């Protein structure tokens, strides 16, 4: 019996296996450059706006990036060189070992290099960090550039779209930002729900927008053009479509764009804003011909809906000790997130209404809590450790926007 049958091995001739193996290696060798070429082709669609900015702020950030990279290369390049040179030079099988010194202990030159170079790099990095930190402070206005009158823009990050309000012009747009070229843009940012980030890479800068807070950002476009803007902070299932175009125009084109908004847009009121605030994905561009007075301040205060307590009023109440037990029944006026709850697919969730107990006598009794018990609790608290009368604050705080300035909380 042949040997290959006795051993139980494959009956395929050995030469055929060798041919198949060689073909596999050839295909793998060809596949590698093809994959590399495909990757390079895909990268041709990338936009390197960070390294090719179109505004003063972006240019300063690019310069800082290049300076920092060059300073770090002072360390990286010699380390890469020495990691190859020293193993080759001092390998065990080298022929010439005359430079071997078994009594070597110290070298002032090596100490100077090992300690001096890092110290110089740290000093340089510290200097440039201090200079550019103050120069590129996002809260610092760009009026020192003498670039003309700045334009005010109030940006609101919604789920999942951007609302831009022009308070001086009385118009607004969704998912489209127009700015005059050569004039500073003063952004005021906030969010309706979760944290987001306004990012226009070609112009530089990136600042968070947060619910109940107002942040600042100052940018400028040196030339006309259209630049991509987006949210740079993941905020849910509709994040990928949260993009907008930033159109830098000359003055005449910008004025024409504003007039177009006034002619074609709809009024932006508290009711229309609440409808816009509902979670939607991949929204088209839309315009608003007018904006209700004080709307942005109410968005920041999380009190656009009627009957909601603004953040400023809430903080004023907290500063005076809160509403105490008598204010428990007004909890719905302080609630904001429940009406905006969504599931993992971005769909709104109707949560059951919360029963706010206590503080209003007959109403408390109907919900299972006797009104007398609530009054007894208030009396006990008032005669206990809280004798400073802060717990006797009115149960119903002012719900009108800005009412904290009109009502004496003392």
């Amino acid at each position: 019996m042949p040997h290959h049958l006795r051993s139980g091995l494959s009956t395929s001739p050995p030469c055929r296996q060798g041919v198949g193996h060689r073909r596999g290696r050839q295909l793998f060798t060809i596949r590698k450059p093809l994959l590399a070429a495909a990757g390079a082709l895909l990268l041709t669609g990338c936009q390197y706006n960070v390294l090719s900015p179109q505004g003063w702020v972006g240019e300063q950030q690019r310069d800082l990036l290049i300076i920092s990279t060059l300073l770090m290369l002072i360390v990286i390049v010699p380390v890469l060189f020495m990691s190859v040179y020293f193993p080759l030079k001092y390998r065990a099988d080298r022929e010439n070992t005359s430079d071997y010194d078994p009594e070597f202990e110290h070298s002032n030159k090596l100490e100077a290099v090992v300690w001096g170079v890092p110290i110089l790099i740290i000093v340089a990095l510290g200097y440039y960090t201090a200079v550019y930190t103050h120069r590129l402070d996002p809260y610092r206005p760009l009026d020192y550039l003498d670039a003309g009158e700045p334009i005010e823009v109030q940006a609101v990050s919604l789920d999942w779209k951007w609302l831009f309000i022009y308070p001086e012009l009385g118009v607004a747009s969704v998912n489209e930002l127009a700015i005059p070229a050569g004039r500073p843009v003063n952004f005021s940012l906030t969010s309706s729900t979760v944290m987001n980030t306004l990012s226009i890479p070609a112009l530089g800068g990136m600042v968070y927008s947060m619910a109940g807070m107002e942040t600042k950002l100052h940018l400028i476009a040196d030339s006309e053009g259209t630049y991509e803007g987006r949210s740079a902070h993941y905020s849910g299932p509709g994040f990928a479509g949260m993009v907008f175009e930033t159109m830098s125009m000359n003055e005449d084109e910008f004025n024409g764009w504003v007039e177009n908004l006034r002619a074609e847009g709809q009024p932006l009121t508290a009711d229309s804003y609440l409808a816009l605030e509902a979670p939607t994905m991949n929204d088209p561009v839309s315009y608003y011909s007018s904006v209700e007075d004080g709307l942005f301040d109410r968005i920041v205060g999380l009190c656009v809906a009627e009957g909601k307590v603004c953040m400023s009023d809430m903080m004023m109440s907290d500063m005076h000790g809160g509403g105490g037990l008598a204010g428990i029944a007004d909890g719905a006026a302080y609630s904001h997130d429940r009406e905006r709850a969504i599931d993992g697919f971005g769909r709104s969730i109707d949560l059951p209404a919360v029963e706010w107990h206590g503080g209003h006598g007959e109403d408390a009794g109907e919900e299972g809590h006797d009104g007398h018990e609530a009054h007894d609790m208030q009396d006990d608290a008032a005669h206990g450790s809280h004798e400073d009368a802060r717990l006797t604050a009115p149960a119903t705080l002012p719900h009108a926007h800005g009412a904290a300035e009109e009502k004496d909380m003392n």
Side-chain angles (χ1 to χ4, degrees):
M1 180 180 291
H3 174 72
H4 65 272
L5 294 180
R6 291 199 305 268
S7 62
L9 299 177
S10 172
T11 58
S12 300
C15 61
R16 187 173 300 174
Q17 293 180 353
V19 171
H21 181 65
R22 286 195 299 271
R23 288 178 178 174
R25 285 191 302 176
Q26 291 175 354
L27 290 175
F28 180 74
T29 303
I30 298 174
R31 188 182 304 168
K32 289 171 63 178
L34 290 177
L35 291 175
L41 181 62
L42 292 175
L43 289 175
T44 57
C46 296
Q47 297 181 353
Y48 302 98
N49 290 321
V50 174
L51 298 177
S52 179
Q54 304 298 321
W56 182 86
V57 176
E59 291 174 354
Q60 297 298 312
Q61 293 177 343
R62 176 204 58 195
D63 294 345
L64 178 59
L65 178 63
I66 294 175
I67 292 172
S68 302
T69 302
L70 292 177
L71 287 172
M72 289 183 286
L73 285 177
I74 297 175
V75 175
I76 295 173
V77 172
V79 168
L80 293 176
F81 171 77
M82 290 185 293
S83 64
V84 176
Y85 174 76
F86 284 119
L88 291 177
K89 181 176 176 58
Y90 299 103
R91 64 188 184 276
D93 59 346
R94 61 196 174 107
E95 297 179 358
N96 184 8
T97 60
S98 60
D99 56 354
Y100 175 65
D101 184 4
E103 297 181 357
F104 175 82
E105 294 181 354
H106 179 75
S107 172
N108 291 330
K109 294 181 179 179
L110 286 177
E111 288 287 344
V113 173
V114 170
W115 290 100
V117 174
I119 290 175
L120 292 176
I121 294 175
I122 292 173
V123 170
L125 283 174
Y127 168 77
Y128 285 110
T129 299
V131 170
Y132 280 92
T133 296
H134 293 283
R135 183 183 298 176
L136 297 176
D137 181 2
Y139 276 65
R140 183 186 183 188
L142 302 178
D143 49 8
Y144 56 90
L145 297 179
D146 296 329
E149 187 69 21
I151 181 171
E152 301 290 333
V153 177
Q154 297 168 338
V156 183
S157 58
L158 307 170
D159 291 337
W160 287 270
K161 45 193 170 283
W162 286 96
L163 169 64
F164 300 104
I165 301 174
Y166 297 78
E168 300 171 326
L169 304 175
V171 296
S173 61
V174 173
N175 289 339
E176 184 175 279
L177 174 64
I179 57 176
R183 287 174 58 185
V185 183
N186 300 340
F187 285 97
S188 300
L189 300 102
T190 192
S191 175
S192 65
T193 53
V194 299
M195 183 184 299
N196 270 287
T197 307
L198 179 70
S199 175
I200 309 175
L203 303 184
M206 186 169 63
V207 169
Y208 283 102
S209 61
M210 295 171 279
M213 300 178 62
E214 180 180 347
T215 53
K216 300 288 186 179
L217 177 64
H218 296 86
L219 299 176
I220 185 172
D222 293 338
S223 57
E224 300 177 19
T226 301
Y227 314 116
E228 180 184 358
R230 64 175 305 115
S231 170
H233 185 88
Y234 181 73
S235 57
F239 163 77
M242 199 171 173
V243 297
F244 61 91
E245 287 188 345
T246 302
M247 301 182 300
S248 177
M249 313 172 175
N250 60 44
E251 290 292 338
D252 293 337
E253 291 175 340
F254 178 73
N255 292 332
W257 181 83
V258 173
E259 292 302 323
N260 181 56
L261 264 64
R262 290 171 176 165
E264 297 184 3
Q266 301 294 325
L268 180 60
T269 62
D271 292 336
S272 59
Y273 169 80
L274 292 175
L276 176 67
E277 191 186 42
T280 53
M281 300 183 190
N282 302 312
D283 272 30
V285 174
S286 58
Y287 301 135
Y288 293 93
S289 58
S290 62
V291 181
E292 183 175 315
D293 292 339
L295 179 61
F296 181 75
D297 292 334
R298 293 168 63 180
I299 297 173
V300 175
L302 307 179
C303 55
V304 176
E306 291 298 329
K308 295 293 184 179
V309 177
C310 293
M311 289 292 293
S312 57
D313 297 335
M314 194 181 304
M315 290 186 287
M316 178 67 73
S317 173
D318 291 341
M319 186 177 68
H320 287 80
L325 296 174
I328 295 177
D330 291 324
Y334 297 85
S335 175
H336 178 78
D337 294 335
R338 291 184 61 82
E339 295 87 347
R340 292 156 182 80
I342 59 174
D343 60 16
F345 298 95
R347 297 172 299 198
S348 298
I349 301 174
D350 293 329
L351 298 177
V354 177
E355 296 181 355
W356 303 97
H357 301 297
H360 282 298
E362 183 177 348
D363 293 338
E366 292 176 357
E367 296 177 355
H369 292 267
D370 184 70
H372 296 291
E373 293 182 6
H375 287 295
D376 291 341
M377 292 171 65
Q378 294 179 34
D379 292 339
D380 292 340
H383 292 87
S385 59
H386 302 282
E387 297 180 355
D388 56 358
R390 289 184 296 177
L391 288 177
T392 61
T396 305
L397 292 175
H399 294 178
H401 311 103
E405 300 178 359
E406 302 175 2
K407 184 179 181 66
D408 184 6
M409 298 298 292
N410 294 322

